PDB file of all heavy atoms in Angstrom:
ATOM      1  N   ILE A 804     -93.433  -7.195 -70.088  1.00 79.00           N
ATOM      2  CA  ILE A 804     -92.924  -6.002 -69.418  1.00 79.00           C
ATOM      3  C   ILE A 804     -94.003  -5.494 -68.475  1.00 79.00           C
ATOM      4  O   ILE A 804     -95.165  -5.389 -68.858  1.00 79.00           O
ATOM      5  CB  ILE A 804     -92.571  -4.902 -70.436  1.00 79.00           C
ATOM      6  CG1 ILE A 804     -91.473  -5.381 -71.375  1.00 79.00           C
ATOM      7  CG2 ILE A 804     -92.139  -3.638 -69.714  1.00 79.00           C
ATOM      8  CD1 ILE A 804     -91.171  -4.429 -72.507  1.00 79.00           C
ATOM      9  N   VAL A 805     -93.612  -5.200 -67.261  1.00 84.00           N
ATOM     10  CA  VAL A 805     -94.543  -4.630 -66.288  1.00 84.00           C
ATOM     11  C   VAL A 805     -94.007  -3.281 -65.833  1.00 84.00           C
ATOM     12  O   VAL A 805     -92.818  -2.978 -65.996  1.00 84.00           O
ATOM     13  CB  VAL A 805     -94.781  -5.564 -65.082  1.00 84.00           C
ATOM     14  CG1 VAL A 805     -95.422  -6.864 -65.507  1.00 84.00           C
ATOM     15  CG2 VAL A 805     -93.505  -5.832 -64.330  1.00 84.00           C
ATOM     16  N   GLU A 806     -94.888  -2.478 -65.291  1.00 82.00           N
ATOM     17  CA  GLU A 806     -94.524  -1.145 -64.829  1.00 82.00           C
ATOM     18  C   GLU A 806     -93.295  -1.225 -63.920  1.00 82.00           C
ATOM     19  O   GLU A 806     -93.230  -2.048 -63.014  1.00 82.00           O
ATOM     20  CB  GLU A 806     -95.686  -0.519 -64.070  1.00 82.00           C
ATOM     21  CG  GLU A 806     -95.425   0.889 -63.615  1.00 82.00           C
ATOM     22  CD  GLU A 806     -96.613   1.510 -62.917  1.00 82.00           C
ATOM     23  OE1 GLU A 806     -97.749   1.012 -63.074  1.00 82.00           O
ATOM     24  OE2 GLU A 806     -96.401   2.499 -62.208  1.00 82.00           O
ATOM     25  N   GLY A 807     -92.330  -0.364 -64.204  1.00 81.00           N
ATOM     26  CA  GLY A 807     -91.117  -0.319 -63.404  1.00 81.00           C
ATOM     27  C   GLY A 807     -89.975  -1.138 -63.962  1.00 81.00           C
ATOM     28  O   GLY A 807     -88.832  -0.961 -63.559  1.00 81.00           O
ATOM     29  N   ASP A 808     -90.259  -2.060 -64.899  1.00 85.00           N
ATOM     30  CA  ASP A 808     -89.193  -2.849 -65.520  1.00 85.00           C
ATOM     31  C   ASP A 808     -88.320  -1.959 -66.395  1.00 85.00           C
ATOM     32  O   ASP A 808     -88.779  -0.961 -66.954  1.00 85.00           O
ATOM     33  CB  ASP A 808     -89.775  -3.947 -66.425  1.00 85.00           C
ATOM     34  CG  ASP A 808     -90.252  -5.160 -65.672  1.00 85.00           C
ATOM     35  OD1 ASP A 808     -90.073  -5.211 -64.444  1.00 85.00           O
ATOM     36  OD2 ASP A 808     -90.821  -6.058 -66.324  1.00 85.00           O
ATOM     37  N   GLN A 809     -87.077  -2.353 -66.544  1.00 83.00           N
ATOM     38  CA  GLN A 809     -86.194  -1.685 -67.483  1.00 83.00           C
ATOM     39  C   GLN A 809     -86.587  -2.127 -68.895  1.00 83.00           C
ATOM     40  O   GLN A 809     -86.841  -3.317 -69.133  1.00 83.00           O
ATOM     41  CB  GLN A 809     -84.743  -2.050 -67.204  1.00 83.00           C
ATOM     42  CG  GLN A 809     -83.764  -1.265 -68.041  1.00 83.00           C
ATOM     43  CD  GLN A 809     -82.333  -1.590 -67.665  1.00 83.00           C
ATOM     44  OE1 GLN A 809     -81.892  -2.717 -67.823  1.00 83.00           O
ATOM     45  NE2 GLN A 809     -81.636  -0.595 -67.161  1.00 83.00           N
ATOM     46  N   ALA A 810     -86.671  -1.180 -69.804  1.00 82.00           N
ATOM     47  CA  ALA A 810     -87.049  -1.505 -71.183  1.00 82.00           C
ATOM     48  C   ALA A 810     -85.939  -2.306 -71.854  1.00 82.00           C
ATOM     49  O   ALA A 810     -84.758  -2.114 -71.559  1.00 82.00           O
ATOM     50  CB  ALA A 810     -87.293  -0.215 -71.976  1.00 82.00           C
ATOM     51  N   PRO A 811     -86.316  -3.198 -72.761  1.00 87.00           N
ATOM     52  CA  PRO A 811     -85.288  -3.914 -73.521  1.00 87.00           C
ATOM     53  C   PRO A 811     -84.599  -2.934 -74.481  1.00 87.00           C
ATOM     54  O   PRO A 811     -85.093  -1.840 -74.738  1.00 87.00           O
ATOM     55  CB  PRO A 811     -86.095  -4.973 -74.287  1.00 87.00           C
ATOM     56  CG  PRO A 811     -87.473  -4.428 -74.357  1.00 87.00           C
ATOM     57  CD  PRO A 811     -87.666  -3.586 -73.131  1.00 87.00           C
ATOM     58  N   ASN A 812     -83.452  -3.328 -74.992  1.00 91.00           N
ATOM     59  CA  ASN A 812     -82.782  -2.494 -75.986  1.00 91.00           C
ATOM     60  C   ASN A 812     -83.694  -2.331 -77.195  1.00 91.00           C
ATOM     61  O   ASN A 812     -84.374  -3.282 -77.599  1.00 91.00           O
ATOM     62  CB  ASN A 812     -81.455  -3.116 -76.410  1.00 91.00           C
ATOM     63  CG  ASN A 812     -80.425  -3.037 -75.315  1.00 91.00           C
ATOM     64  OD1 ASN A 812     -80.361  -2.064 -74.564  1.00 91.00           O
ATOM     65  ND2 ASN A 812     -79.615  -4.065 -75.189  1.00 91.00           N
ATOM     66  N   PHE A 813     -83.726  -1.124 -77.744  1.00 90.00           N
ATOM     67  CA  PHE A 813     -84.534  -0.877 -78.929  1.00 90.00           C
ATOM     68  C   PHE A 813     -83.907   0.233 -79.753  1.00 90.00           C
ATOM     69  O   PHE A 813     -83.069   0.993 -79.272  1.00 90.00           O
ATOM     70  CB  PHE A 813     -85.984  -0.507 -78.558  1.00 90.00           C
ATOM     71  CG  PHE A 813     -86.102   0.772 -77.771  1.00 90.00           C
ATOM     72  CD1 PHE A 813     -86.204   1.996 -78.411  1.00 90.00           C
ATOM     73  CD2 PHE A 813     -86.108   0.749 -76.391  1.00 90.00           C
ATOM     74  CE1 PHE A 813     -86.305   3.173 -77.690  1.00 90.00           C
ATOM     75  CE2 PHE A 813     -86.216   1.914 -75.654  1.00 90.00           C
ATOM     76  CZ  PHE A 813     -86.311   3.133 -76.306  1.00 90.00           C
ATOM     77  N   SER A 814     -84.335   0.321 -81.001  1.00 93.00           N
ATOM     78  CA  SER A 814     -83.909   1.366 -81.923  1.00 93.00           C
ATOM     79  C   SER A 814     -85.115   1.677 -82.799  1.00 93.00           C
ATOM     80  O   SER A 814     -85.586   0.809 -83.541  1.00 93.00           O
ATOM     81  CB  SER A 814     -82.742   0.867 -82.784  1.00 93.00           C
ATOM     82  OG  SER A 814     -82.368   1.848 -83.720  1.00 93.00           O
ATOM     83  N   LEU A 815     -85.642   2.904 -82.674  1.00 89.00           N
ATOM     84  CA  LEU A 815     -86.858   3.298 -83.384  1.00 89.00           C
ATOM     85  C   LEU A 815     -86.681   4.644 -84.061  1.00 89.00           C
ATOM     86  O   LEU A 815     -85.987   5.525 -83.546  1.00 89.00           O
ATOM     87  CB  LEU A 815     -88.033   3.384 -82.397  1.00 89.00           C
ATOM     88  CG  LEU A 815     -88.377   2.126 -81.627  1.00 89.00           C
ATOM     89  CD1 LEU A 815     -89.362   2.448 -80.518  1.00 89.00           C
ATOM     90  CD2 LEU A 815     -88.945   1.086 -82.571  1.00 89.00           C
ATOM     91  N   GLU A 816     -87.329   4.817 -85.190  1.00 91.00           N
ATOM     92  CA  GLU A 816     -87.292   6.101 -85.890  1.00 91.00           C
ATOM     93  C   GLU A 816     -88.339   7.034 -85.274  1.00 91.00           C
ATOM     94  O   GLU A 816     -89.497   6.663 -85.095  1.00 91.00           O
ATOM     95  CB  GLU A 816     -87.570   5.920 -87.378  1.00 91.00           C
ATOM     96  CG  GLU A 816     -87.444   7.222 -88.146  1.00 91.00           C
ATOM     97  CD  GLU A 816     -87.640   7.062 -89.642  1.00 91.00           C
ATOM     98  OE1 GLU A 816     -87.569   5.922 -90.138  1.00 91.00           O
ATOM     99  OE2 GLU A 816     -87.867   8.076 -90.313  1.00 91.00           O
ATOM    100  N   ALA A 817     -87.922   8.256 -84.957  1.00 89.00           N
ATOM    101  CA  ALA A 817     -88.818   9.270 -84.413  1.00 89.00           C
ATOM    102  C   ALA A 817     -89.508  10.018 -85.547  1.00 89.00           C
ATOM    103  O   ALA A 817     -89.131   9.883 -86.724  1.00 89.00           O
ATOM    104  CB  ALA A 817     -88.033  10.246 -83.543  1.00 89.00           C
ATOM    105  N   ASP A 818     -90.513  10.812 -85.194  1.00 86.00           N
ATOM    106  CA  ASP A 818     -91.244  11.595 -86.193  1.00 86.00           C
ATOM    107  C   ASP A 818     -90.331  12.499 -87.013  1.00 86.00           C
ATOM    108  O   ASP A 818     -90.596  12.760 -88.183  1.00 86.00           O
ATOM    109  CB  ASP A 818     -92.314  12.476 -85.517  1.00 86.00           C
ATOM    110  CG  ASP A 818     -93.452  11.664 -84.948  1.00 86.00           C
ATOM    111  OD1 ASP A 818     -93.614  10.492 -85.335  1.00 86.00           O
ATOM    112  OD2 ASP A 818     -94.190  12.212 -84.118  1.00 86.00           O
ATOM    113  N   ASP A 819     -89.264  12.981 -86.397  1.00 92.00           N
ATOM    114  CA  ASP A 819     -88.373  13.911 -87.096  1.00 92.00           C
ATOM    115  C   ASP A 819     -87.273  13.201 -87.884  1.00 92.00           C
ATOM    116  O   ASP A 819     -86.377  13.829 -88.424  1.00 92.00           O
ATOM    117  CB  ASP A 819     -87.759  14.907 -86.111  1.00 92.00           C
ATOM    118  CG  ASP A 819     -86.874  14.246 -85.064  1.00 92.00           C
ATOM    119  OD1 ASP A 819     -86.671  13.008 -85.112  1.00 92.00           O
ATOM    120  OD2 ASP A 819     -86.383  14.969 -84.180  1.00 92.00           O
ATOM    121  N   GLY A 820     -87.341  11.864 -87.941  1.00 94.00           N
ATOM    122  CA  GLY A 820     -86.373  11.100 -88.723  1.00 94.00           C
ATOM    123  C   GLY A 820     -85.143  10.664 -87.947  1.00 94.00           C
ATOM    124  O   GLY A 820     -84.339   9.893 -88.455  1.00 94.00           O
ATOM    125  N   THR A 821     -84.973  11.156 -86.724  1.00 95.00           N
ATOM    126  CA  THR A 821     -83.839  10.729 -85.916  1.00 95.00           C
ATOM    127  C   THR A 821     -84.111   9.336 -85.345  1.00 95.00           C
ATOM    128  O   THR A 821     -85.244   8.856 -85.365  1.00 95.00           O
ATOM    129  CB  THR A 821     -83.571  11.703 -84.750  1.00 95.00           C
ATOM    130  OG1 THR A 821     -84.727  11.755 -83.904  1.00 95.00           O
ATOM    131  CG2 THR A 821     -83.246  13.099 -85.261  1.00 95.00           C
ATOM    132  N   THR A 822     -83.078   8.705 -84.848  1.00 96.00           N
ATOM    133  CA  THR A 822     -83.216   7.382 -84.255  1.00 96.00           C
ATOM    134  C   THR A 822     -83.162   7.514 -82.733  1.00 96.00           C
ATOM    135  O   THR A 822     -82.275   8.169 -82.188  1.00 96.00           O
ATOM    136  CB  THR A 822     -82.094   6.445 -84.740  1.00 96.00           C
ATOM    137  OG1 THR A 822     -82.193   6.338 -86.169  1.00 96.00           O
ATOM    138  CG2 THR A 822     -82.221   5.063 -84.125  1.00 96.00           C
ATOM    139  N   VAL A 823     -84.121   6.891 -82.070  1.00 94.00           N
ATOM    140  CA  VAL A 823     -84.178   6.873 -80.616  1.00 94.00           C
ATOM    141  C   VAL A 823     -83.824   5.460 -80.163  1.00 94.00           C
ATOM    142  O   VAL A 823     -84.376   4.487 -80.668  1.00 94.00           O
ATOM    143  CB  VAL A 823     -85.588   7.249 -80.106  1.00 94.00           C
ATOM    144  CG1 VAL A 823     -85.643   7.182 -78.592  1.00 94.00           C
ATOM    145  CG2 VAL A 823     -85.990   8.624 -80.598  1.00 94.00           C
ATOM    146  N   THR A 824     -82.886   5.373 -79.241  1.00 95.00           N
ATOM    147  CA  THR A 824     -82.497   4.082 -78.678  1.00 95.00           C
ATOM    148  C   THR A 824     -82.603   4.151 -77.158  1.00 95.00           C
ATOM    149  O   THR A 824     -82.652   5.242 -76.579  1.00 95.00           O
ATOM    150  CB  THR A 824     -81.042   3.720 -79.042  1.00 95.00           C
ATOM    151  OG1 THR A 824     -80.168   4.688 -78.443  1.00 95.00           O
ATOM    152  CG2 THR A 824     -80.832   3.691 -80.550  1.00 95.00           C
ATOM    153  N   ARG A 825     -82.615   3.006 -76.541  1.00 92.00           N
ATOM    154  CA  ARG A 825     -82.623   3.002 -75.086  1.00 92.00           C
ATOM    155  C   ARG A 825     -81.375   3.697 -74.558  1.00 92.00           C
ATOM    156  O   ARG A 825     -81.432   4.482 -73.616  1.00 92.00           O
ATOM    157  CB  ARG A 825     -82.709   1.584 -74.543  1.00 92.00           C
ATOM    158  CG  ARG A 825     -82.938   1.589 -73.024  1.00 92.00           C
ATOM    159  CD  ARG A 825     -82.993   0.222 -72.457  1.00 92.00           C
ATOM    160  NE  ARG A 825     -81.623  -0.153 -72.109  1.00 92.00           N
ATOM    161  CZ  ARG A 825     -81.295  -1.292 -71.562  1.00 92.00           C
ATOM    162  NH1 ARG A 825     -82.207  -2.210 -71.336  1.00 92.00           N
ATOM    163  NH2 ARG A 825     -80.052  -1.556 -71.264  1.00 92.00           N
ATOM    164  N   ALA A 826     -80.246   3.461 -75.217  1.00 94.00           N
ATOM    165  CA  ALA A 826     -78.993   4.088 -74.782  1.00 94.00           C
ATOM    166  C   ALA A 826     -79.060   5.611 -74.882  1.00 94.00           C
ATOM    167  O   ALA A 826     -78.512   6.310 -74.034  1.00 94.00           O
ATOM    168  CB  ALA A 826     -77.828   3.545 -75.602  1.00 94.00           C
ATOM    169  N   SER A 827     -79.749   6.130 -75.900  1.00 94.00           N
ATOM    170  CA  SER A 827     -79.831   7.590 -76.058  1.00 94.00           C
ATOM    171  C   SER A 827     -80.701   8.234 -74.990  1.00 94.00           C
ATOM    172  O   SER A 827     -80.662   9.448 -74.795  1.00 94.00           O
ATOM    173  CB  SER A 827     -80.343   7.958 -77.454  1.00 94.00           C
ATOM    174  OG  SER A 827     -81.721   7.642 -77.600  1.00 94.00           O
ATOM    175  N   LEU A 828     -81.493   7.426 -74.299  1.00 92.00           N
ATOM    176  CA  LEU A 828     -82.374   7.935 -73.247  1.00 92.00           C
ATOM    177  C   LEU A 828     -81.805   7.688 -71.850  1.00 92.00           C
ATOM    178  O   LEU A 828     -82.439   8.040 -70.854  1.00 92.00           O
ATOM    179  CB  LEU A 828     -83.750   7.272 -73.361  1.00 92.00           C
ATOM    180  CG  LEU A 828     -84.499   7.549 -74.659  1.00 92.00           C
ATOM    181  CD1 LEU A 828     -85.722   6.644 -74.766  1.00 92.00           C
ATOM    182  CD2 LEU A 828     -84.878   9.012 -74.766  1.00 92.00           C
ATOM    183  N   ALA A 829     -80.609   7.118 -71.781  1.00 91.00           N
ATOM    184  CA  ALA A 829     -80.001   6.798 -70.487  1.00 91.00           C
ATOM    185  C   ALA A 829     -79.920   8.044 -69.614  1.00 91.00           C
ATOM    186  O   ALA A 829     -79.549   9.124 -70.073  1.00 91.00           O
ATOM    187  CB  ALA A 829     -78.613   6.205 -70.686  1.00 91.00           C
ATOM    188  N   GLY A 830     -80.323   7.888 -68.363  1.00 91.00           N
ATOM    189  CA  GLY A 830     -80.265   8.985 -67.409  1.00 91.00           C
ATOM    190  C   GLY A 830     -81.458   9.923 -67.452  1.00 91.00           C
ATOM    191  O   GLY A 830     -81.530  10.864 -66.670  1.00 91.00           O
ATOM    192  N   LYS A 831     -82.407   9.675 -68.368  1.00 90.00           N
ATOM    193  CA  LYS A 831     -83.594  10.516 -68.488  1.00 90.00           C
ATOM    194  C   LYS A 831     -84.805   9.810 -67.895  1.00 90.00           C
ATOM    195  O   LYS A 831     -84.861   8.582 -67.860  1.00 90.00           O
ATOM    196  CB  LYS A 831     -83.868  10.845 -69.958  1.00 90.00           C
ATOM    197  CG  LYS A 831     -82.754  11.628 -70.611  1.00 90.00           C
ATOM    198  CD  LYS A 831     -83.078  11.930 -72.053  1.00 90.00           C
ATOM    199  CE  LYS A 831     -81.904  12.688 -72.680  1.00 90.00           C
ATOM    200  NZ  LYS A 831     -82.150  13.000 -74.081  1.00 90.00           N
ATOM    201  N   ASN A 832     -85.754  10.588 -67.441  1.00 91.00           N
ATOM    202  CA  ASN A 832     -87.045  10.036 -67.045  1.00 91.00           C
ATOM    203  C   ASN A 832     -87.836   9.802 -68.323  1.00 91.00           C
ATOM    204  O   ASN A 832     -87.988  10.722 -69.134  1.00 91.00           O
ATOM    205  CB  ASN A 832     -87.803  11.010 -66.141  1.00 91.00           C
ATOM    206  CG  ASN A 832     -87.104  11.243 -64.832  1.00 91.00           C
ATOM    207  OD1 ASN A 832     -86.649  10.312 -64.202  1.00 91.00           O
ATOM    208  ND2 ASN A 832     -87.008  12.492 -64.421  1.00 91.00           N
ATOM    209  N   VAL A 833     -88.318   8.599 -68.519  1.00 89.00           N
ATOM    210  CA  VAL A 833     -89.015   8.254 -69.759  1.00 89.00           C
ATOM    211  C   VAL A 833     -90.407   7.713 -69.436  1.00 89.00           C
ATOM    212  O   VAL A 833     -90.553   6.839 -68.577  1.00 89.00           O
ATOM    213  CB  VAL A 833     -88.235   7.200 -70.575  1.00 89.00           C
ATOM    214  CG1 VAL A 833     -88.993   6.817 -71.835  1.00 89.00           C
ATOM    215  CG2 VAL A 833     -86.842   7.714 -70.916  1.00 89.00           C
ATOM    216  N   VAL A 834     -91.402   8.252 -70.125  1.00 88.00           N
ATOM    217  CA  VAL A 834     -92.765   7.731 -70.067  1.00 88.00           C
ATOM    218  C   VAL A 834     -92.992   7.053 -71.409  1.00 88.00           C
ATOM    219  O   VAL A 834     -92.984   7.706 -72.450  1.00 88.00           O
ATOM    220  CB  VAL A 834     -93.805   8.853 -69.845  1.00 88.00           C
ATOM    221  CG1 VAL A 834     -95.211   8.279 -69.887  1.00 88.00           C
ATOM    222  CG2 VAL A 834     -93.535   9.584 -68.547  1.00 88.00           C
TER     223      VAL A 834
END
C-alpha cells in the first residue's frame, strides 16, 4: 500500500468495542 491508495477491506475492533470497517468510513476523510 502506498500513500493515496484505497485501503483494502478490513474489519477491526475499536477501543470502545465497536467494529470499524472500510465500508463504515465511506465518504469520510481518513488518516
